């Protein structure tokens, strides 16, 4: 059992090797099929599948650590109205707002679309990919959206526009670059970007006008803004998809730029309002300080004052503190009064911005900040929507509620300040009564100095605040820091599976074709096909003849086909079992299987070993022997049989290009070749030749058509049956098998002819010597 299993395993391995060898012969079909499908996949991806790209960017808001810039921002957060801290969700909403996107598209000039006319469809291109750009006249809106026409560059100064009218007729018009063009669709100007282009090779560029409002909605739907970290934070990721990566990158860049610009504009509006209020207070205090300084100067001159006693100084100090507190309270009350006036001015539907100056209250500041934000939002909405818009109405309602809350808060603060003022006045009266013992002149001087100091301190404080507000406007630092600049990545799935599938399919088609071909093929192709049909000994295989000469076996020829004939010669010698005389008949099932070619070169192979060989052309019906070797077919076998006066030497022809090689042609074409094959002269011919030649090779007619070969069977020692690869039908080989089994021919051996050489055949090389 183990031996049987080992034999079965070896047979299985042979079968696998055979299958692989059978398919590997057609490697070029697999390469061609895979190549064609790869190209088809490429064309499909190139013209039918529009690739998309993901554009990613990261920005940082409220960055208070990690860089010098963020440190400067934190320092500046105490100046004026510049606030680093923001509500992240509100800022995400601002970045995703429709108005911001529309401004972005308008500034990028995306109201104009550009296309190249491709082989299969139109391909959209970005304005940076073409040599010109179009600037729309903003004062004249676009009246017709959609395809406009094709632009063709003529030279560095002119271009041509081709448009179709309502009836489909084409109209071409030539314009100059920089010239304003007025059409029924839009008014625009075309500018040339690159003057060094090859105008003759420029293809027409199709132009269309886009509705940026609809375009902004589409881009807004594709835009995604979110926090990078799950727990929030100021790090935001902005992403969107676009079929043109350069355009998507520009949209995200411009969106960030406009967001920063709008934020700065909002801050500057509030800061400028504060500056105007501070400037008014400074102008008033400047006049008061000037008057006090003059009083001090004149009073000192008239009273000649130089020092104040320590007791008086202490009481005066206490009184001064009370006065300073009183002055501060007055300043706060003035600020509250100014705020009340500001609130009064923001009446009805005006909704002006309000600012609190001189009084710091977290609750009041928060309400004012929220109120100002809503005022700005309402103004922005009114640019694109009417007063009756539901969103505008809701904002107006919120503004009214905030104004009422601010008014109530101001009244409460004012009441508290008035109460504090009264307490400070009472304390001041007490301190002043204690100073009554101080000389009147000295006391008066101290009061003047104290008044001067209070006004001067207040002036310096307001001046400092004014500088802080000015810095908050001109500060070079941005609240938004770009962490990752916008960059594009392919968004579609990898193309590799498509290419791999195409290659596999391209290889599968030849596989199916080869499999079907093998299953349906009725012709003999390999030795294995012969072995499956008949048990005849296979003498050898002969490769396809790629040389021009019929005689391929010469002394110096070491080609694969010559080597195979030498191998055939050795196999024949082995099969003859040492017999000195050999009469070999070569036949086949049909014409065209190469029996004459085998006869000639087998004889040449025997002749180069020093053997004397003669080839007989017994194919009396279709003689080709003499013509194939380039000899004249004059007297031959037919003449020898018919004319008893002819001797063997009369019909033998010497082959001039090889020693020991002779030929006897078929001679005159007879009308009755079948009867001639029964003549006793054939036996005399062969017996005579045996006396002179070592080998007699008979090239006879195919046995599948006529019975001539059977008439020669009594005279031959061996029969070579030629089977041509991919030519001989398997059914014919089965008929031949029946002939062999009935012993109608002597010592039959099969020669497989016209075998295609490859690595699997084992004959893809030659030995480097002579026979």
């Amino acid at each position: 059992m183990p031996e049987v299993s080992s034999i079965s395993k070896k047979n299985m391995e042979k079968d696998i090797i055979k299958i692989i060898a059978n398919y590997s012969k057609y490697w070029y079909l697999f390469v061609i099929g895979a190549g064609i499908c790869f190209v088809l996949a490429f064309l499909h991806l190139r013209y039918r599948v529009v690739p998309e790209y993901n554009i990613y960017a990261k920005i940082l808001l409220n960055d208070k650590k990690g860089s010098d810039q963020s440190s400067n921002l934190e320092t500046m957060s105490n100046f004026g109205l510049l606030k680093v801290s923001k509500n992240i969700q509100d800022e995400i909403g601002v970045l995703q707002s429709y108005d911001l996107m529309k401004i972005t598209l308008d500034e990028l000039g995306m109201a104009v679309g550009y296309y190249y006319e491709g082989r299969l469809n139109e391909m959209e291109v970005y304005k940076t990919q073409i040599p010109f750009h179009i600037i729309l006249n903003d004062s004249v809106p676009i009246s017709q959206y959609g395809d406009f026409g094709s632009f063709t560059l003529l030279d560095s100064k002119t271009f041509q526009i081709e448009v179709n009218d309502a009836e489909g007729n084409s109209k071409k018009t030539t314009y100059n670059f920089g010239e304003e063009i007025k059409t029924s669709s839009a008014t625009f100007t075309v500018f040339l970007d690159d003057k060094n282009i090859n105008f003759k090779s420029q293809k027409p560029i199709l132009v269309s006008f886009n509705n940026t409002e609809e375009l902004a909605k589409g881009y807004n739907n594709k835009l995604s803004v979110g926090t990078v970290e799950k727990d929030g934070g100021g790090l935001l990721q902005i992403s969107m998809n676009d079929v043109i990566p350069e355009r998507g990158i520009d949209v995200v860049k411009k969106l960030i730029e406009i967001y920063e610009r709008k934020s700065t504009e909002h801050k500057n509006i509030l800061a400028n309002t504060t500056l105007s209020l501070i400037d008014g207070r400074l102008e008033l205090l400047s006049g008061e300080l000037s008057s006090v300084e003059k009083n001090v100067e004149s009073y000192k001159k008239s009273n000649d004052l130089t020092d104040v006693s320590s007791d008086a100084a202490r009481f005066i100090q206490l009184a001064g503190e009370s006065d300073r507190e009183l002055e501060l309270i007055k300043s706060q009350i003035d600020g509250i009064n100014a705020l009340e006036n500001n609130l009064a001015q923001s009446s009805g539907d005006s909704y002006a911005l309000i600012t609190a100056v001189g009084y710091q209250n977290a609750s009041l500041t928060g309400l004012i900040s929220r109120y100002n934000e809503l005022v700005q939002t309402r103004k922005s909405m009114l640019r694109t929507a009417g007063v009756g818009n539901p969103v505008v109405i809701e904002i107006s309602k919120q503004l009214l509620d905030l104004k009422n809350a601010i008014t109530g808060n101001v009244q409460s603060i004012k009441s508290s300040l008035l109460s504090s003022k009264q307490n400070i006045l009472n304390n001041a009266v007490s301190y002043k009564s204690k100073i009554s013992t101080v000389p009147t002149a000295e006391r008066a001087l101290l009061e003047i100095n104290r008044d001067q100091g209070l006004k001067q301190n207040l002036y310096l404080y307001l001046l400092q605040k004014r500088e802080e507000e000015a810095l908050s406007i001109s500060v070079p630092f941005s609240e938004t820091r770009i962490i990752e600049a916008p960059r594009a990545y392919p968004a579609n799935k990898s193309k590799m599976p498509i290419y791999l599938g195409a290659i596999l399919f391209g290889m599968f088609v030849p596989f199916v074709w080869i499999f079907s071909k093998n299953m349906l093929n009725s012709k003999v192709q390999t030795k294995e096909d012969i072995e499956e049909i008949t048990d005849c000994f296979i003498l050898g295989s002969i490769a396809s003849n790629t040389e021009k000469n019929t005689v391929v076996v010469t002394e110096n020829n070491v080609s694969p086909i010559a080597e195979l004939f030498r191998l055939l010669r050795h196999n024949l010698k082995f099969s003859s079992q040492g017999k000195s005389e050999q009469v070999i008949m070569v036949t086949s099932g049909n014409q065209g299987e190469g029996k004459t070619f085998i006869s000639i070169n087998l004889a040449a192979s025997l002749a180069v070993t020093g053997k004397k060989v003669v080839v007989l052309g017994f194919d009396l019906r279709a003689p080709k022997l003499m013509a194939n070797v380039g000899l004249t077919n004059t007297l031959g076998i037919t003449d020898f049989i018919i004319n008893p006066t002819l001797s063997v030497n009369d019909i033998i022809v010497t082959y001039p290009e090889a020693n020991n090689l002779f030929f006897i042609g078929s001679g005159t074409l007879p009308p009755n070749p079948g009867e001639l094959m029964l003549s006793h002269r054939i036996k005399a011919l062969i017996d005579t030749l045996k006396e002179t030649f070592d080998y007699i090779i008979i090239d006879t007619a195919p046995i599948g058509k006529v019975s001539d070969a059977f008439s020669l069977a009594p005279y031959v020692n061996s029969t070579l049956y030629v089977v041509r690869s991919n030519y001989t039908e398997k059914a014919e080989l089965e008929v031949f098998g029946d002939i062999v089994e009935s012993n109608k021919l002597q010592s039959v051996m099969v020669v497989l002819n016209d075998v295609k050489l490859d690595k699997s055949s084992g004959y893809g090389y030659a030995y480097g010597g002579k026979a």
Side-chain angles (χ1 to χ4, degrees):
M1 289 297 292
E3 294 181 357
V4 174
S5 177
S6 176
I7 294 173
S8 176
K9 184 176 181 182
K10 290 181 179 179
N11 291 335
M12 183 181 296
E13 292 177 354
K14 289 181 180 180
D15 291 340
I16 293 174
I17 294 173
K18 177 183 175 183
I19 293 172
I20 294 174
N22 184 38
Y23 283 97
S24 64
K25 290 188 299 185
Y26 300 96
W27 61 269
Y28 56 91
L29 294 179
F30 291 99
V31 173
I32 293 172
I36 291 174
C37 288
F38 182 86
V39 171
L40 291 176
F42 171 79
L43 295 175
H44 171 73
L45 293 173
R46 174 66 176 83
Y47 294 105
R48 308 302 295 180
V49 178
V50 179
E52 280 198 346
Y53 295 85
N54 282 333
I55 291 82
Y56 292 100
K58 289 183 181 178
I59 62 174
L60 184 62
L61 303 180
N62 305 336
D63 184 21
K64 294 186 178 182
K65 55 185 178 180
S67 69
D68 294 338
Q69 177 174 333
S70 61
S71 178
N72 291 328
L73 279 173
E74 186 176 1
T75 302
M76 292 305 298
S77 65
N78 295 320
F79 287 3
L81 297 175
L82 176 63
K83 304 298 180 184
V84 174
S85 178
K86 291 185 176 181
N87 186 308
I88 296 300
Q89 296 302 321
D90 289 344
E91 299 308 312
I92 291 175
V94 172
L95 281 166
Q96 291 180 314
S97 65
Y98 166 81
D99 287 345
L100 206 64
M101 180 60 72
K102 186 177 185 304
I103 295 172
T104 299
L105 300 184
D106 287 336
E107 292 192 7
L108 286 175
M110 290 180 62
V112 183
Y114 306 92
Y115 301 84
Y116 273 125
E117 188 172 350
R119 294 183 180 90
L120 300 178
N121 52 8
E122 294 177 357
M123 297 182 295
E124 185 177 8
V125 293
Y126 192 38
K127 61 183 181 181
T128 58
Q129 299 170 325
I130 59 175
F132 68 90
H133 68 279
I134 296 175
I135 301 298
L136 294 172
N137 188 338
D138 293 335
S139 61
V140 181
I142 299 174
S143 59
Q144 294 180 7
Y145 297 110
D147 295 339
F148 172 71
S150 64
F151 286 57
T152 304
L153 307 187
L154 302 178
D155 51 45
S156 60
K157 295 182 179 180
T158 60
F159 63 95
Q160 185 181 80
I161 299 179
E162 181 180 357
V163 296
N164 294 328
D165 56 20
E167 299 177 355
N169 298 320
S170 176
K171 179 182 179 182
K172 297 181 179 179
T173 310
T174 301
Y175 297 95
N176 295 323
F177 288 107
E179 173 186 355
E180 186 176 68
I181 302 170
K182 297 181 179 180
T183 68
S184 59
S185 298
T187 302
F188 56 89
T189 306
V190 182
F191 295 94
L192 183 65
D193 295 328
D194 187 359
K195 296 183 179 180
N196 298 320
I197 60 175
N198 186 354
F199 293 95
K200 292 183 179 180
S201 64
Q202 281 295 310
K203 297 179 180 179
I205 298 173
L206 306 180
V207 172
S208 66
F209 295 119
N210 303 322
N211 186 343
T212 53
E213 293 183 357
E214 296 298 325
L215 206 61
K217 292 178 182 178
Y219 271 94
N220 242 23
N221 293 333
K222 296 189 291 184
L223 181 67
S224 174
V225 183
T227 57
V228 175
E229 302 296 334
K230 294 182 179 179
D231 56 352
L235 188 60
L236 301 181
Q237 177 173 282
I238 302 174
S239 63
M240 64 175 292
N241 286 4
D242 202 337
V243 296
I244 303 177
E246 295 87 353
R247 181 176 65 188
I249 290 173
D250 284 353
V251 169
V252 175
K253 281 183 178 178
K254 180 62 71 173
L255 183 70
I256 297 173
E257 176 189 329
I258 294 175
Y259 166 76
E260 291 181 337
R261 190 174 72 211
K262 291 296 181 181
S263 298
T264 302
E265 290 175 358
H266 175 63
K267 291 184 300 181
N268 290 344
I269 290 173
L270 296 179
N272 286 325
T273 303
T274 303
L275 280 175
S276 63
L277 292 175
I278 292 177
D279 286 341
R281 292 290 298 164
L282 285 174
E283 184 179 357
L284 179 62
L285 284 173
S286 179
E288 293 178 356
L289 274 175
S290 179
S291 177
V292 171
E293 288 171 354
K294 289 180 180 179
N295 292 336
V296 171
E297 181 180 359
S298 62
Y299 195 85
K300 282 185 176 181
K301 287 180 179 180
S302 61
N303 293 283
D304 194 18
L305 296 176
T306 58
D307 193 11
V308 181
S309 65
S310 58
D311 291 337
R314 182 170 63 85
F315 292 122
I316 292 172
Q317 180 182 2
L318 293 174
E321 290 178 357
S322 297
D323 290 341
R324 283 192 295 274
E325 292 178 0
L326 182 61
E327 197 66 27
L328 182 61
I329 289 295
K330 288 180 180 180
S331 176
Q332 293 178 351
I333 292 173
D334 290 342
I336 289 298
N337 291 332
L339 181 58
E340 283 183 332
N341 293 334
N342 205 343
L343 284 171
Q345 293 174 2
S346 179
S347 60
D349 293 332
S350 61
Y351 295 111
L353 295 173
I354 59 176
T355 306
V357 180
Y359 183 80
Q360 300 296 328
N361 182 278
S363 176
L364 180 59
T365 302
L367 291 172
I368 292 173
S369 176
R370 179 59 180 162
Y371 179 87
N372 289 334
E373 289 178 1
L374 286 176
V375 169
Q376 288 296 115
T377 303
R378 185 176 181 274
K379 288 181 178 181
S380 298
M381 289 294 297
L382 288 174
R383 294 172 188 168
T384 57
V387 178
N389 187 281
V391 178
V392 175
I393 295 173
E394 179 62 25
I395 292 175
S396 300
K397 181 180 179 182
Q398 294 180 19
L399 285 171
L400 182 61
D401 294 339
L402 283 172
K403 184 189 287 187
N404 293 335
I406 293 171
T407 302
N409 202 325
V410 167
Q411 291 175 355
S412 176
I413 293 172
K414 184 175 181 181
S415 176
S416 176
L417 289 175
L418 291 174
S419 177
S420 299
K421 178 183 177 183
Q422 185 61 43
N423 292 334
I424 294 172
L425 285 173
N426 293 336
N427 292 332
V429 171
S430 176
Y431 293 138
K432 288 178 180 180
S433 64
K434 295 179 180 179
I435 302 174
S436 59
T437 57
V438 180
T440 304
E442 190 174 9
R443 184 173 66 250
L445 179 60
L446 290 175
E447 290 178 354
I448 293 172
N449 288 334
R450 182 175 66 251
D451 187 33
Q452 179 188 15
L454 289 173
K455 287 180 168 35
Q456 187 174 7
N457 289 337
L458 182 58
Y459 182 85
L460 292 175
Y461 171 78
L462 291 176
L463 189 63
Q464 178 185 355
K465 286 298 179 183
R466 187 187 186 285
E467 290 302 315
E468 291 175 357
E469 293 296 341
L471 282 174
S472 71
I473 296 174
S474 60
V475 60
F477 305 114
S478 173
E479 294 180 271
T480 304
R481 184 156 67 102
I482 297 177
I483 303 301
E484 289 185 9
R487 50 175 57 90
Y489 303 93
N492 291 352
K493 294 182 179 179
S494 174
K495 298 179 181 178
M496 187 59 65
I498 297 177
Y499 285 126
L500 183 59
I503 291 172
L504 292 176
F505 181 77
M507 298 177 70
F508 176 74
V509 173
F511 175 84
V512 172
W513 179 82
I514 296 169
F515 178 80
S516 302
K517 177 176 174 291
N518 292 337
M519 294 297 294
L520 301 175
N521 187 18
S522 62
K523 301 183 185 309
V524 176
Q525 292 183 325
T526 63
K527 290 181 180 180
E528 289 75 9
D529 293 336
I530 299 174
E531 292 172 348
E532 290 177 359
I533 298 173
T534 178
D535 295 331
C536 287
F537 174 69
I538 301 175
L539 188 64
S541 299
I542 301 301
S544 299
N545 183 19
T546 58
E547 301 181 13
K548 296 181 180 180
N549 299 326
T550 303
V551 182
V552 297
V553 180
T554 60
E555 291 186 0
N556 297 322
N557 191 353
V558 292
S559 64
I561 188 171
E563 292 297 334
L564 289 173
F565 271 109
R566 293 185 178 100
L567 181 60
L568 188 68
R569 178 190 68 200
H570 289 297
N571 292 341
L572 182 63
K573 184 178 179 181
F574 176 78
S575 65
S576 65
Q577 299 178 355
K579 295 179 181 178
S580 58
E581 296 180 343
Q582 286 290 323
V583 180
I584 304 169
M585 182 174 66
V586 181
T587 186
S588 63
N590 282 297
Q591 289 184 351
E593 292 176 318
K595 58 181 181 57
T596 303
F597 174 74
I598 298 296
S599 301
I600 294 170
N601 286 281
L602 177 59
S605 177
L606 292 168
V608 295
T609 63
K611 302 295 184 180
K612 198 172 183 180
V613 185
V614 63
V615 182
L616 307 181
F618 261 100
D619 190 352
L620 305 181
R621 303 171 188 271
K624 295 180 180 179
L625 177 64
M626 303 303 281
N628 287 348
V629 294
L631 299 176
T632 303
N633 184 24
T634 54
L635 297 177
I637 294 174
T638 303
D639 302 295
F640 179 81
I641 295 173
I642 296 173
N643 188 356
T645 62
L646 291 177
S647 65
V648 173
N649 291 330
D650 293 333
I651 61 174
I652 292 178
V653 181
T654 303
Y655 186 63
E657 297 183 12
N659 297 326
N660 302 321
L661 183 58
F662 302 86
F663 291 90
I664 298 177
S666 59
T668 304
L669 190 64
N672 54 346
E675 286 75 12
L676 291 179
M677 294 301 296
L678 301 176
S679 174
H680 65 279
R681 292 274 289 174
I682 294 176
K683 182 178 184 303
L685 173 63
I686 294 175
D687 289 340
T688 303
L689 293 175
K690 284 182 179 180
E691 296 174 358
T692 307
F693 295 94
D694 298 313
Y695 288 95
I696 301 170
I697 298 177
I698 301 174
D699 175 26
T700 186
I703 63 174
K705 301 298 181 183
V706 293
S707 61
D708 296 0
F710 299 112
S711 300
L712 297 172
Y715 312 120
V716 303
N717 303 115
S718 300
T719 301
L720 300 186
Y721 184 82
V722 178
V723 176
R724 186 176 178 181
S725 177
N726 207 31
Y727 184 86
T728 303
E729 296 286 342
K730 293 180 180 179
E732 295 176 356
L733 196 59
E734 292 176 355
V735 174
F736 166 72
D738 295 336
I739 294 174
V740 173
E741 290 180 1
S742 60
N743 296 320
K744 294 180 180 180
L745 298 174
Q746 301 294 326
S747 301
V748 180
M749 294 171 283
V750 177
V751 176
L752 181 60
N753 185 31
D754 198 19
V755 176
K756 301 296 185 292
L757 288 184
D758 52 30
K759 293 181 180 180
S760 62
S761 67
Y763 302 114
Y765 58 93
Y767 299 102
K770 299 179 181 180

